[in-house]
Amino acid sequence: MLKQRVITAIVLAAILLGSLFALEPQWFVSVVAVFMAVAAWEWSRLAHCSGLITRTVYAASMVALQLCMLWWLGIFDGHIDSARVKTVVSVTAVWWFVAAVFVKRYPSFSSFWNNPVGQTLIGIFVIFPTLCSAAFLHAEPNGAWLIVIMVVCVACADIGAYFVGRKFGKRKLAPAVSPGKSMEGFYGGFICSVLFATLLIVAMSVFGDRPLDWRLLLVIVPTSLVSVLGDLLESMLKRARGIKDSGRILPGHGGVLDRIDSISAAAPIFTLGYLLSGWSW
């Protein structure tokens, strides 16, 4: 299992980095859209769909809606409307606040979302803003590096939470959803992300000949705080459906949703912070 996980992680990293730095924005969005299409197929299972035809129709409908969103944003015209992107990620930020309530109070509000309509709406809030954010960030100056910073921020939060949680974890973060996560781990992941941002700010000043720009913290801090919600939300949905993994397409890792759960929450928050803070690479 460990060997499979390592090999799969290397392949995914190669695809991500290659797409980020070698492809034009439209082609990069195409690659991301393929992953989101697989995520939509996996989400059909969470949305109580059964049978090949039903799941295919569901996934195809989600893909069609994603294409409509990209058209509305202007990606097919060679540009992206930042005002419309801001609208999408602002609404999504409100959604993640609601999601935090669902996770914390689980299973109290499950009657609101544990049904095909509720699960579909959640899927739209999870999948669509991720694609929107990736498309917008990559089209920005030094966009590939913006996405790298966002992914590293999420990785720091995950790694910090894992090691601090294992060493010092006592108080449960969301015991009904994910018993293994602790408040101490959450704090450890947050501190790790802030340290990463601080080091990046200093490095950009020292090696990039620019003044210290602490506005990056306005981007990293909320991204780190919200990223854990993506993981908890998917854990809640899978627990409600009685499944372990969203899929089996990634050997040793499960499905695409299992790998992008934290990023699905982090990407729109990172994008919103980037748009509001005025920070730039």
Side-chain angles (χ1 to χ4, degrees), residues 92-172:
T92 306
V94 176
W95 147 248
W96 282 111
F97 176 81
V98 175
V101 176
F102 286 165
V103 169
K104 192 64 179 177
R105 298 294 300 277
Y106 177 80
S108 297
F109 295 107
S110 58
S111 59
F112 288 95
W113 52 262
N114 194 19
N115 55 73
V117 175
Q119 297 283 31
T120 297
L121 290 175
I122 293 176
I124 289 174
F125 278 115
V126 170
I127 296 174
F128 289 21
T130 304
L131 178 59
C132 170
S133 300
F136 171 75
L137 290 173
H138 191 264
E140 286 291 285
N142 295 306
W145 286 108
L146 291 177
I147 294 178
V148 169
I149 290 172
M150 185 264 292
V151 172
V152 173
C153 172
V154 173
C156 286
D158 288 342
I159 294 170
Y162 175 77
F163 285 104
V164 174
R166 286 198 61 180
K167 182 67 175 180
F168 303 105
K170 293 181 180 179
R171 295 174 295 166
K172 300 300 183 183

Side-chain angles (χ1 to χ4, degrees), residues 65-77 79 84:
L65 288 175
Q66 289 184 75
L67 292 174
C68 290
M69 183 194 68
L70 292 176
W71 170 80
W72 179 68
L73 293 175
I75 188 66
F76 298 130
D77 297 327
H79 72 279
R84 292 181 177 180

Side-chain angles (χ1 to χ4, degrees), residues 17-42:
L17 293 174
S19 302
L20 275 175
F21 292 99
L23 298 180
E24 294 296 321
Q26 292 90 340
W27 289 107
F28 171 76
V29 171
S30 300
V31 173
V32 177
V34 170
F35 279 95
M36 292 300 101
V38 176
W41 165 261
E42 294 174 353

Side-chain angles (χ1 to χ4, degrees), residues 4 61 72 97-98 101 144 174 184 187 195 204 222 232 235 272 281:
Q4 283 184 334
S61 300
W72 179 68
F97 176 81
V98 175
V101 176
E184 291 79 6
Y187 296 141
L195 287 175
M204 292 177 69
L232 289 173
S235 295
L272 181 60
W281 178 263

Side-chain angles (χ1 to χ4, degrees), residues 165-229:
R166 286 198 61 180
K167 182 67 175 180
F168 303 105
K170 293 181 180 179
R171 295 174 295 166
K172 300 300 183 183
L173 179 61
V177 173
S178 184
K181 288 183 169 56
S182 66
M183 290 298 300
E184 291 79 6
F186 173 74
Y187 296 141
F190 172 69
I191 292 172
C192 189
S193 295
V194 172
L195 287 175
F196 160 69
T198 302
L199 290 173
L200 182 59
I201 292 169
V202 174
M204 292 177 69
S205 177
V206 173
F207 300 105
D209 192 26
R210 56 187 295 177
L212 292 172
D213 192 347
W214 298 101
R215 289 179 297 177
L216 177 59
L217 289 174
L218 299 177
V219 183
I220 294 297
V221 167
T223 299
S224 173
L225 292 174
V226 176
S227 66
V228 67
L229 266 178

